[in-house]
Amino acid sequence: MSAQTEATRQDLAGVDTVTQAGTTPDTEQPWGALGLKVDEYANIKEILGRRPTSAELAMYSVMWSEHCSYKSSKVHFSLWGENTTDAMREKLLVGIGENAGVVDIGDGWAVTFKIESHNHPSYVEPHQGAATGVGGIVRDIMSMGARPIAVMDALRFGNLRHPDTLRVLPGIVAGVGGYGNCLGLPNIGGEVVFDDCYQGNPLVNALCVGAMRIEDIHLASARGVGNKVVLFGAKTGGDGIGGVSVLASETFSATGGGPTKRPAVQVGDPFAEKVLIECCLDLYAAHVVAGIQDLGGAGLSCATSELASNGDGGMAVELDLVPLRDASLRPEEILMSESQERMMAIVEPAKLEAFLAITTRWDVEATVIGEVTDGEHLVITWHGETIVDVPPRSVAHDGPVYDRPLGRPAYLDGLVADTTADLERPVTGEELRATLLTMLASPNLCDTSWVTDQYDRYVMGNTALAMPDDAGVVRVDEETGRGVAISTDCNGRFAKLDPYTGAQAALAEAYRNVSTAGAAPLAVTDCLNFGSPEDPGVMWQFRESIRGIAEGCKTLGIPVTGGNVSFYNQTGDVAIHPTPVIGVLGVMEDVSVRTPSGFSVDGSRLYLLGDTRDELDGSEWAHVAHGHLGGVPPVVDLEHEMRLSAVLQQGAREGWFDAAHDLSEGGLAQVLAEAVLRNGIGARVGLERLVLKGVDPFTALFSESTGRVLVAVTPGSEDEFLAAVPDSVSVTELGLTDTDVDGLVVVAGPDASFGIDHATLRRTHKATLPGIFGP
Amino acid sequence: MKIGVVTFPGSLDDRDAARAVRAAGADVVTLWHGDRDLHGVDAVVLPGGFSYGDYLRCGAIARFAPVMDVLVPAAQGGLPVLGICNGFQVLCESHLLPGALIRNDHRKFNCVDQVLRVENASTTWTSAYAAGQEITIPLKNGEGGFVADEATLDRLEGEGRVVVRYVGANPNGSHRKIAGITNDRGNVVGLMPHPEHAIEPGYGPSTDGLDFFASALASLEQVVSA
């Protein structure tokens, strides 16, 4: 026997072929351990007319996981379509369902953006989990044909003082930073939120935005019989096996028992991804790519089945041609591996040579592993034996759909009834001053530069605004300055009290943040983080949130272009607050005129746009001062947000604003402190006009009423600005920026006035995170 | 005037450096790491980034790239070379500049708007500044701590070869708060902060960085007219 045949015999030993599956129908299969339910396994057998091979079982198990198949959420997605009008579709070039949505931002430019969760991996292995979260979303953007131009990350942790936060946070931040920095993508914003509900379930939501010319959009489909299937990038290893199924789609055990899930977390190599980005862009420019898909969750199982399912024929793949980091990997493991930094392209035979010349120039390994066939099946062989023979749609798109029971949780009535009305409020100037400082140092309002300074916000040289400004703003067209603004937001406490209104509040805030920078909101991406879908209360929260977002988007006239659902964010019976993180993208004709959030000139007149109501339920003040959560969230008025947005956009274009800052957590007090701290320009603020409108000084400073923005109007522009504010948007003059004022002076009558010097504000704001995590 | 910008695999700020060169009024020539040819450029910028991933010592592999085989002798012969961040690390690894860059003392990547003092305004890359001038440009790195033995530090100080120094708190533990240095001829300059990210209004903390590139252009034009 020749050496080669001997090797093949060994490779085939124990491999389950389609032929075998036909003759051994009663073989016990580990469907349960792979995360499949009994009826799902029966369904697979019905589709195939036989038992699946072990390789097929592996594919179905990862592709039918909650993470990949959206089986619990899909039934509610009709709400997106029902609430999307033709006018909203006008700028939408690619919608939900592709790797990422694409919108037309004008002048022939297309922008693609998406936010995605990497929550569970980041809890198990913070650094790699967060790093590969960034890597995954960047590849999604790349696979649309775009150059990635910026990233953002929305992070949520448990109690700042809990020891596990000390374990998780530094690793996650270093992972996000290490990967994004090494890719050369500016990190232009995001969120850092602390709440006990995320203890044991930190949320790592990574957003990426990319830009391309409209004609360069690429799609994930395998068309053209005889076209080659090329796998390129990193070799396939044993990391991340079952990441989407056994890790992302199950609840962590409350007792912490059982084996660690760490091997299910992928390991990232940002250098390989950076090279892959440049290589892909060269491939696109050379027009040698007919279809492309990144390898992320579910790895080769996903890429092959989705490409084939989206195409017009079948696909044949020789799995033993896949380059391996570990030669001992079995075919099932190769199909399930979530090794990072890999892409799959469909290439016409005539262009293969040019394709391979480009990958060679970038030292990127590329291997033809199969081709598009005229059949209807995805057929995968292993040393000549067929181990997979399936209709690709049944794997990629026709997975199970569950209309799970849902119901308003019984606890909500009690929670809603328990308002902040009876909580003790500060009254005197001294009390208000102390409250402002306590809030300014609190985990959700303190300076986050300990985190954000670990991210490169300047690389690429197109960053016009970044954290701590309200939105991240980057230039897309270097000739004209045309660019985009993005913000992500969510207040999980509001969503806990009322998921419909809470989701709309998140949408309104992200919309307002983008507008505050001066951009016209254009499109939405969302990352829906929830507990277990098997809990009817969680499913109700989920349905209400989607309804809130979809109906809100319809009012605002901007479409949801894509996003991600993350269920099972709970430990034992305790779910996180519903956390529908909303990312809004806006467009500016020239980003260099964007409005920053900090005061920079003397004598700017301060105005508050929007109405302040007694809305402290679910507020940061209730949380910090009383550890209280109850009542109803602030009213959301989206029509008002649109009018407000128009004024803010016009102000940026006309150059009226020295600064503008959105009011959200912490209210006016927080905004004033931040605007003063930014450049050290002081301000003298009078609350008397608000008091005359019936708003007491405490409410004026700490209420979290939505639809409000503080603007600092440059000297001389006041009249034009005031003339542009419609009657339906209330405007209240609050005072002046003043370089003679050291810090902040707040005047609110004889008993409620106070001042805080700059050094005290700065020290208070800055000390919190370094106090926990070190310098 | 033609200024080359080298791209290594993993270079990140190469396009930014090219933009700065153009903004200063020079023509850009892109140089490829694997190409043993400088294509007749009048000066070279080694940009920031993570060449080859910098999984080993930063710049340790880039130093062996084919393009360095021609760049090192050219620099020794007087070709103006500016190394920014990773480029500075490559220059130290290549022994065109003394000392080394190590992990920041706080052990984190750090991205801040950094105030610098121009100590030497007579190098090819800093002649457009005034000695003692303070400028603000981005600093962003994980391994920016400049270290050298005492004798080397004394020599650098004594010969006026400290080009820029950090003002205020030391951001990374660099010896004597050194942010950038030059060789004895003043044609090779390396610094950790990023002048190419501070060249146009609206992007970056200032436009203070542009004069690094304008300096080189002026020096080159002087050479031509002389």
Side-chain angles (χ1 to χ4, degrees), chain A residues 179-199:
Chain A
Y179 204 97
N181 295 341
C182 191
L183 278 190
L185 292 176
N187 187 317
I188 57 170
E191 300 167 88
V192 181
V193 176
F194 299 92
D195 193 294
D196 288 2
C197 77
Y198 304 113
Q199 198 70 60

PDB file of all heavy atoms in Angstrom, chain A residues 179-199:
ATOM      1  N   TYR A 179      -7.171  45.478  19.093  1.00  0.00           N
ATOM      2  CA  TYR A 179      -7.543  45.016  17.763  1.00  0.00           C
ATOM      3  C   TYR A 179      -7.783  46.190  16.818  1.00  0.00           C
ATOM      4  O   TYR A 179      -7.206  46.270  15.742  1.00  0.00           O
ATOM      5  CB  TYR A 179      -8.791  44.125  17.832  1.00  0.00           C
ATOM      6  CG  TYR A 179      -8.897  43.170  16.666  1.00  0.00           C
ATOM      7  CD1 TYR A 179      -8.454  41.860  16.774  1.00  0.00           C
ATOM      8  CD2 TYR A 179      -9.425  43.578  15.450  1.00  0.00           C
ATOM      9  CE1 TYR A 179      -8.535  40.983  15.703  1.00  0.00           C
ATOM     10  CE2 TYR A 179      -9.515  42.711  14.372  1.00  0.00           C
ATOM     11  CZ  TYR A 179      -9.076  41.405  14.506  1.00  0.00           C
ATOM     12  OH  TYR A 179      -9.154  40.549  13.442  1.00  0.00           O
ATOM     13  N   GLY A 180      -8.616  47.150  17.262  1.00  0.00           N
ATOM     14  CA  GLY A 180      -8.947  48.294  16.403  1.00  0.00           C
ATOM     15  C   GLY A 180      -7.726  49.150  16.105  1.00  0.00           C
ATOM     16  O   GLY A 180      -7.535  49.606  14.983  1.00  0.00           O
ATOM     17  N   ASN A 181      -6.879  49.379  17.117  1.00  0.00           N
ATOM     18  CA  ASN A 181      -5.685  50.203  16.910  1.00  0.00           C
ATOM     19  C   ASN A 181      -4.765  49.573  15.884  1.00  0.00           C
ATOM     20  O   ASN A 181      -4.194  50.246  15.021  1.00  0.00           O
ATOM     21  CB  ASN A 181      -4.910  50.376  18.217  1.00  0.00           C
ATOM     22  CG  ASN A 181      -5.691  51.163  19.259  1.00  0.00           C
ATOM     23  OD1 ASN A 181      -6.641  51.867  18.940  1.00  0.00           O
ATOM     24  ND2 ASN A 181      -5.299  51.028  20.513  1.00  0.00           N
ATOM     25  N   CYS A 182      -4.610  48.268  15.970  1.00  0.00           N
ATOM     26  CA  CYS A 182      -3.686  47.571  15.082  1.00  0.00           C
ATOM     27  C   CYS A 182      -4.254  47.477  13.669  1.00  0.00           C
ATOM     28  O   CYS A 182      -3.524  47.312  12.708  1.00  0.00           O
ATOM     29  CB  CYS A 182      -3.390  46.186  15.657  1.00  0.00           C
ATOM     30  SG  CYS A 182      -2.034  45.344  14.857  1.00  0.00           S
ATOM     31  N   LEU A 183      -5.588  47.582  13.541  1.00  0.00           N
ATOM     32  CA  LEU A 183      -6.214  47.601  12.218  1.00  0.00           C
ATOM     33  C   LEU A 183      -6.099  48.965  11.563  1.00  0.00           C
ATOM     34  O   LEU A 183      -6.348  49.109  10.370  1.00  0.00           O
ATOM     35  CB  LEU A 183      -7.716  47.310  12.338  1.00  0.00           C
ATOM     36  CG  LEU A 183      -8.179  45.885  12.446  1.00  0.00           C
ATOM     37  CD1 LEU A 183      -9.684  45.858  12.291  1.00  0.00           C
ATOM     38  CD2 LEU A 183      -7.535  45.040  11.375  1.00  0.00           C
ATOM     39  N   GLY A 184      -5.808  49.983  12.381  1.00  0.00           N
ATOM     40  CA  GLY A 184      -5.747  51.328  11.833  1.00  0.00           C
ATOM     41  C   GLY A 184      -7.116  51.923  11.591  1.00  0.00           C
ATOM     42  O   GLY A 184      -7.313  52.689  10.649  1.00  0.00           O
ATOM     43  N   LEU A 185      -8.068  51.594  12.457  1.00  0.00           N
ATOM     44  CA  LEU A 185      -9.402  52.178  12.347  1.00  0.00           C
ATOM     45  C   LEU A 185      -9.640  53.093  13.531  1.00  0.00           C
ATOM     46  O   LEU A 185      -9.497  52.671  14.682  1.00  0.00           O
ATOM     47  CB  LEU A 185     -10.461  51.079  12.331  1.00  0.00           C
ATOM     48  CG  LEU A 185     -10.439  50.209  11.089  1.00  0.00           C
ATOM     49  CD1 LEU A 185     -11.464  49.097  11.200  1.00  0.00           C
ATOM     50  CD2 LEU A 185     -10.722  51.059   9.863  1.00  0.00           C
ATOM     51  N   PRO A 186     -10.009  54.353  13.274  1.00  0.00           N
ATOM     52  CA  PRO A 186     -10.269  55.237  14.399  1.00  0.00           C
ATOM     53  C   PRO A 186     -11.498  54.774  15.173  1.00  0.00           C
ATOM     54  O   PRO A 186     -12.502  54.399  14.578  1.00  0.00           O
ATOM     55  CB  PRO A 186     -10.520  56.590  13.730  1.00  0.00           C
ATOM     56  CG  PRO A 186     -10.984  56.269  12.352  1.00  0.00           C
ATOM     57  CD  PRO A 186     -10.278  54.995  11.971  1.00  0.00           C
ATOM     58  N   ASN A 187     -11.385  54.777  16.479  1.00  0.00           N
ATOM     59  CA  ASN A 187     -12.542  54.503  17.339  1.00  0.00           C
ATOM     60  C   ASN A 187     -13.096  55.864  17.724  1.00  0.00           C
ATOM     61  O   ASN A 187     -12.416  56.650  18.376  1.00  0.00           O
ATOM     62  CB  ASN A 187     -12.103  53.713  18.569  1.00  0.00           C
ATOM     63  CG  ASN A 187     -13.275  53.247  19.409  1.00  0.00           C
ATOM     64  OD1 ASN A 187     -14.221  53.998  19.636  1.00  0.00           O
ATOM     65  ND2 ASN A 187     -13.216  52.020  19.875  1.00  0.00           N
ATOM     66  N   ILE A 188     -14.311  56.164  17.274  1.00  0.00           N
ATOM     67  CA  ILE A 188     -14.796  57.546  17.370  1.00  0.00           C
ATOM     68  C   ILE A 188     -15.914  57.729  18.382  1.00  0.00           C
ATOM     69  O   ILE A 188     -16.493  58.803  18.460  1.00  0.00           O
ATOM     70  CB  ILE A 188     -15.241  58.068  15.989  1.00  0.00           C
ATOM     71  CG1 ILE A 188     -16.311  57.164  15.378  1.00  0.00           C
ATOM     72  CG2 ILE A 188     -14.035  58.201  15.064  1.00  0.00           C
ATOM     73  CD1 ILE A 188     -16.956  57.752  14.129  1.00  0.00           C
ATOM     74  N   GLY A 189     -16.210  56.708  19.173  1.00  0.00           N
ATOM     75  CA  GLY A 189     -17.250  56.921  20.183  1.00  0.00           C
ATOM     76  C   GLY A 189     -17.772  55.616  20.717  1.00  0.00           C
ATOM     77  O   GLY A 189     -17.200  54.556  20.498  1.00  0.00           O
ATOM     78  N   GLY A 190     -18.888  55.711  21.405  1.00  0.00           N
ATOM     79  CA  GLY A 190     -19.470  54.522  22.002  1.00  0.00           C
ATOM     80  C   GLY A 190     -19.999  54.849  23.378  1.00  0.00           C
ATOM     81  O   GLY A 190     -20.267  56.013  23.697  1.00  0.00           O
ATOM     82  N   GLU A 191     -20.136  53.825  24.180  1.00  0.00           N
ATOM     83  CA  GLU A 191     -20.711  54.026  25.509  1.00  0.00           C
ATOM     84  C   GLU A 191     -19.945  53.181  26.524  1.00  0.00           C
ATOM     85  O   GLU A 191     -19.439  52.110  26.198  1.00  0.00           O
ATOM     86  CB  GLU A 191     -22.170  53.568  25.530  1.00  0.00           C
ATOM     87  CG  GLU A 191     -23.083  54.277  24.562  1.00  0.00           C
ATOM     88  CD  GLU A 191     -24.408  53.533  24.457  1.00  0.00           C
ATOM     89  OE1 GLU A 191     -25.304  53.825  25.257  1.00  0.00           O
ATOM     90  OE2 GLU A 191     -24.519  52.632  23.621  1.00  0.00           O
ATOM     91  N   VAL A 192     -19.900  53.685  27.737  1.00  0.00           N
ATOM     92  CA  VAL A 192     -19.403  52.897  28.870  1.00  0.00           C
ATOM     93  C   VAL A 192     -20.451  53.042  29.975  1.00  0.00           C
ATOM     94  O   VAL A 192     -20.642  54.136  30.502  1.00  0.00           O
ATOM     95  CB  VAL A 192     -18.043  53.409  29.374  1.00  0.00           C
ATOM     96  CG1 VAL A 192     -17.562  52.542  30.536  1.00  0.00           C
ATOM     97  CG2 VAL A 192     -17.008  53.409  28.253  1.00  0.00           C
ATOM     98  N   VAL A 193     -21.145  51.967  30.271  1.00  0.00           N
ATOM     99  CA  VAL A 193     -22.257  52.019  31.214  1.00  0.00           C
ATOM    100  C   VAL A 193     -22.045  50.963  32.294  1.00  0.00           C
ATOM    101  O   VAL A 193     -21.578  49.857  32.002  1.00  0.00           O
ATOM    102  CB  VAL A 193     -23.603  51.744  30.483  1.00  0.00           C
ATOM    103  CG1 VAL A 193     -24.764  51.687  31.463  1.00  0.00           C
ATOM    104  CG2 VAL A 193     -23.851  52.798  29.411  1.00  0.00           C
ATOM    105  N   PHE A 194     -22.363  51.329  33.529  1.00  0.00           N
ATOM    106  CA  PHE A 194     -22.282  50.365  34.637  1.00  0.00           C
ATOM    107  C   PHE A 194     -23.662  50.177  35.256  1.00  0.00           C
ATOM    108  O   PHE A 194     -24.357  51.151  35.529  1.00  0.00           O
ATOM    109  CB  PHE A 194     -21.319  50.870  35.716  1.00  0.00           C
ATOM    110  CG  PHE A 194     -19.911  51.050  35.225  1.00  0.00           C
ATOM    111  CD1 PHE A 194     -19.483  52.263  34.736  1.00  0.00           C
ATOM    112  CD2 PHE A 194     -19.019  49.977  35.235  1.00  0.00           C
ATOM    113  CE1 PHE A 194     -18.181  52.436  34.279  1.00  0.00           C
ATOM    114  CE2 PHE A 194     -17.715  50.135  34.777  1.00  0.00           C
ATOM    115  CZ  PHE A 194     -17.293  51.369  34.296  1.00  0.00           C
ATOM    116  N   ASP A 195     -24.063  48.941  35.461  1.00  0.00           N
ATOM    117  CA  ASP A 195     -25.317  48.670  36.154  1.00  0.00           C
ATOM    118  C   ASP A 195     -25.244  47.242  36.670  1.00  0.00           C
ATOM    119  O   ASP A 195     -24.768  46.348  35.966  1.00  0.00           O
ATOM    120  CB  ASP A 195     -26.508  48.821  35.192  1.00  0.00           C
ATOM    121  CG  ASP A 195     -27.837  48.857  35.939  1.00  0.00           C
ATOM    122  OD1 ASP A 195     -28.215  47.828  36.551  1.00  0.00           O
ATOM    123  OD2 ASP A 195     -28.480  49.916  35.937  1.00  0.00           O
ATOM    124  N   ASP A 196     -25.741  47.048  37.891  1.00  0.00           N
ATOM    125  CA  ASP A 196     -25.687  45.719  38.498  1.00  0.00           C
ATOM    126  C   ASP A 196     -26.280  44.635  37.599  1.00  0.00           C
ATOM    127  O   ASP A 196     -25.889  43.472  37.674  1.00  0.00           O
ATOM    128  CB  ASP A 196     -26.440  45.721  39.833  1.00  0.00           C
ATOM    129  CG  ASP A 196     -25.679  46.492  40.911  1.00  0.00           C
ATOM    130  OD1 ASP A 196     -24.603  47.044  40.582  1.00  0.00           O
ATOM    131  OD2 ASP A 196     -26.152  46.538  42.057  1.00  0.00           O
ATOM    132  N   CYS A 197     -27.237  45.015  36.737  1.00  0.00           N
ATOM    133  CA  CYS A 197     -27.915  43.987  35.930  1.00  0.00           C
ATOM    134  C   CYS A 197     -26.973  43.343  34.927  1.00  0.00           C
ATOM    135  O   CYS A 197     -27.263  42.263  34.424  1.00  0.00           O
ATOM    136  CB  CYS A 197     -29.144  44.563  35.232  1.00  0.00           C
ATOM    137  SG  CYS A 197     -28.788  45.565  33.784  1.00  0.00           S
ATOM    138  N   TYR A 198     -25.835  43.995  34.639  1.00  0.00           N
ATOM    139  CA  TYR A 198     -24.887  43.415  33.674  1.00  0.00           C
ATOM    140  C   TYR A 198     -23.781  42.614  34.366  1.00  0.00           C
ATOM    141  O   TYR A 198     -22.824  42.196  33.723  1.00  0.00           O
ATOM    142  CB  TYR A 198     -24.274  44.512  32.794  1.00  0.00           C
ATOM    143  CG  TYR A 198     -25.313  45.343  32.069  1.00  0.00           C
ATOM    144  CD1 TYR A 198     -25.501  46.685  32.378  1.00  0.00           C
ATOM    145  CD2 TYR A 198     -26.119  44.776  31.087  1.00  0.00           C
ATOM    146  CE1 TYR A 198     -26.468  47.448  31.727  1.00  0.00           C
ATOM    147  CE2 TYR A 198     -27.086  45.524  30.431  1.00  0.00           C
ATOM    148  CZ  TYR A 198     -27.260  46.866  30.764  1.00  0.00           C
ATOM    149  OH  TYR A 198     -28.217  47.604  30.119  1.00  0.00           O
ATOM    150  N   GLN A 199     -23.926  42.446  35.691  1.00  0.00           N
ATOM    151  CA  GLN A 199     -22.971  41.627  36.432  1.00  0.00           C
ATOM    152  C   GLN A 199     -23.056  40.199  35.911  1.00  0.00           C
ATOM    153  O   GLN A 199     -24.115  39.596  35.925  1.00  0.00           O
ATOM    154  CB  GLN A 199     -23.354  41.654  37.925  1.00  0.00           C
ATOM    155  CG  GLN A 199     -22.247  41.228  38.826  1.00  0.00           C
ATOM    156  CD  GLN A 199     -21.155  42.282  38.826  1.00  0.00           C
ATOM    157  OE1 GLN A 199     -21.403  43.419  39.185  1.00  0.00           O
ATOM    158  NE2 GLN A 199     -19.980  41.889  38.401  1.00  0.00           N
TER     159      GLN A 199
END
